[in-house]
Amino acid sequence: MMKYGKTKAIPRISSRRNRRIWSRKSARRIPKIVIHVQASFNNTIVTVTDLRGRVLSWSSAGTCGFKGPRRGTPFAAQIAARNAIRTVAKRGMQRAEVMIKGPGLGRDAALRAIRKSGILLTFIRDVTPMPHNGCRPPKKRRV
């Protein structure tokens, strides 16, 4: 005689609900990073990349809540640099290279915030584009 009653449910092995899906970004450990600081008169953008140039984190004075002319201030650049580094600080980085571009007021303040974060800086490079003689001027107007 067969028993009719409770049947045992077959467990799903590869269910997405049961497994925790880890992000690839958090799994990677980065020993050395490159911090790009672009400081214009209107805004300061800080981008943290790995050595291949893949962006790990970024922040700007505008995304930190500063609006209008306050985005170009040194304090806004300091907050932006701190926010960009905070998100990747947990990934075990020891050394960083800093590339600074632009003539803005946030150059020194962003660098100060990077130094204060405790990361060992291997070198600091100014990569501001400088024109060697500019473009060729247009022809003179003939009357």
Side-chain angles (χ1 to χ4, degrees):
M1 233 163 102
M2 298 197 50
K3 291 184 180 179
Y4 296 102
K6 293 182 182 176
T7 57
K8 196 171 184 181
I10 300 169
R12 279 203 231 146
I13 296 168
S14 62
S15 163
R16 279 193 170 192
R17 290 180 188 163
N18 296 341
R19 274 190 297 154
R20 184 177 289 174
I21 299 167
W22 292 100
S23 173
R24 227 181 116 215
K25 283 186 181 178
S26 63
R28 248 187 344 218
R29 295 201 52 88
I30 300 113
K32 193 170 183 183
I33 59 169
V34 183
I35 302 170
H36 300 272
V37 179
Q38 183 180 353
S40 68
F41 291 116
N42 296 324
N43 203 355
T44 303
I45 301 168
V46 181
T47 310
V48 181
T49 66
D50 59 0
L51 290 177
R52 288 177 59 185
R54 294 179 294 190
V55 176
L56 305 170
S57 168
W58 69 274
S59 182
S60 71
T63 58
C64 293
F66 294 94
K67 292 185 178 177
R70 294 195 302 155
R71 285 188 309 181
T73 60
F75 179 68
Q78 181 181 346
I79 298 294
R82 194 184 309 155
N83 284 355
I85 292 170
R86 185 188 302 156
T87 56
V88 292
K90 300 165 190 160
R91 296 194 199 171
M93 58 182 166
Q94 294 120 10
R95 297 183 179 185
E97 303 171 358
V98 180
M99 309 281 196
I100 300 178
K101 182 191 281 188
L105 299 170
R107 292 168 57 103
D108 300 329
L111 184 60
R112 225 175 286 129
I114 292 166
R115 278 222 173 111
K116 207 173 184 181
S117 67
I119 301 167
L120 182 71
L121 301 182
T122 54
F123 70 85
I124 301 161
R125 181 181 289 170
D126 187 10
V127 289
T128 306
M130 297 294 281
H132 290 285
N133 206 7
C135 301
R136 184 175 175 172
K139 285 198 297 185
K140 294 268 184 181
R141 185 168 173 249
R142 282 187 285 181
V143 181

